[in-house]
Amino acid sequence: MSWETIVVSPHFDDAVLSVAGLLARREGNAVIVTALGGAAGETLSAWDRLCGFVSAEETARERRAEDARACELLGVDQVVLDNPDVPAAQLPLDDLEAFLTEHVTPRTRVLVPMGIGNADHEAVRDRALDVLEKAAPLERWVYADLPYAAAVREWGTPAAGRALEDRPPVRTLAERYRLGPTARPRLEGEEWALKRRAVLAYASQIAPLASDHGEFLAMPGPLQHELVWALDG
């Protein structure tokens, strides 16, 4: 199987929160591959308890089903890797390397998280980019992690890219690559409605995310804006 667009999502929901609008406008087929899709082990995290889950197994099973629904709404394929949902820096993520090595071609556009606001995102980003550097030349993009990126005052304005480039994860990448930030047009009408439906598919996450990030699903609001950087070099 080959896809024109591959989006690497550290957890269930990260890709949809961040680039559902881009996926809706894409040309060709696409897949979201979730790196940390397995059960975390016997201990239930505080976040998962807040989401109402009673075991790590239930968490992984139900969140995978939510992700399948979101992917179906967006018309993209779902791939879930079985790495446990524990700090990604503790994991080799060899299956992510194997997936990208097998499926990336010179015609593939690959999007990975910038790593803003979340150490797991940064670890998954670094692992994916290390693999992609060994591949044939291809389109490599990083996306602004939502809702974390919306914490900058400039989010949703032309100055957002520059504001985020002052953050450590972006500065780290700027030392290795030339970055070209590209803001997506604000999502409106049916396009916004589609993204909103896809985000709402992650029903277990809505209340905890709102507790941490406020009215993140408001219109107008932060999820109507998306930002990606092209990597060169």
Side-chain angles (χ1 to χ4, degrees), residues 193-224:
L194 176 60
K195 178 171 183 176
R196 183 176 180 276
R197 287 196 299 273
V199 171
L200 288 174
Y202 301 100
S204 67
Q205 309 300 299
I206 300 303
L209 283 171
S211 177
D212 281 357
H213 300 281
E215 297 179 350
F216 76 104
L217 263 175
M219 179 181 181
L223 296 192
Q224 287 185 274

Side-chain angles (χ1 to χ4, degrees), residues 152-166 181 183 227 229:
V152 298
R153 181 184 56 198
E154 297 86 350
W155 183 251
T157 75
R162 179 165 296 181
L164 288 168
E165 286 168 12
D166 289 333
L227 181 64
W229 290 260

Side-chain angles (χ1 to χ4, degrees), residues 184-188 192 195 218-226:
R184 312 299 302 174
R186 188 170 80 168
L187 306 180
E188 302 280 5
W192 165 243
K195 178 171 183 176
M219 179 181 181
L223 296 192
Q224 287 185 274
H225 304 276
E226 298 177 352

Side-chain angles (χ1 to χ4, degrees), residues 12-13 15-17 20 23 32 63-78 194-202:
F12 298 117
D13 76 17
V16 171
L17 284 165
L23 285 170
I32 294 174
R63 295 204 65 197
R64 182 174 186 148
E66 291 175 346
D67 186 63
R69 175 59 177 157
C71 289
E72 179 183 11
L73 285 166
L74 292 173
V76 303
D77 293 328
Q78 177 199 44
L194 176 60
K195 178 171 183 176
R196 183 176 180 276
R197 287 196 299 273
V199 171
L200 288 174
Y202 301 100

Side-chain angles (χ1 to χ4, degrees), residues 119-141:
D120 286 343
H121 293 207
E122 196 169 355
V124 169
R125 177 204 72 190
D126 289 344
R127 188 72 173 98
L129 290 178
D130 286 345
V131 176
L132 295 176
E133 284 187 352
K134 305 172 188 176
L138 75 158
E139 288 189 57
R140 295 171 299 178
W141 296 77

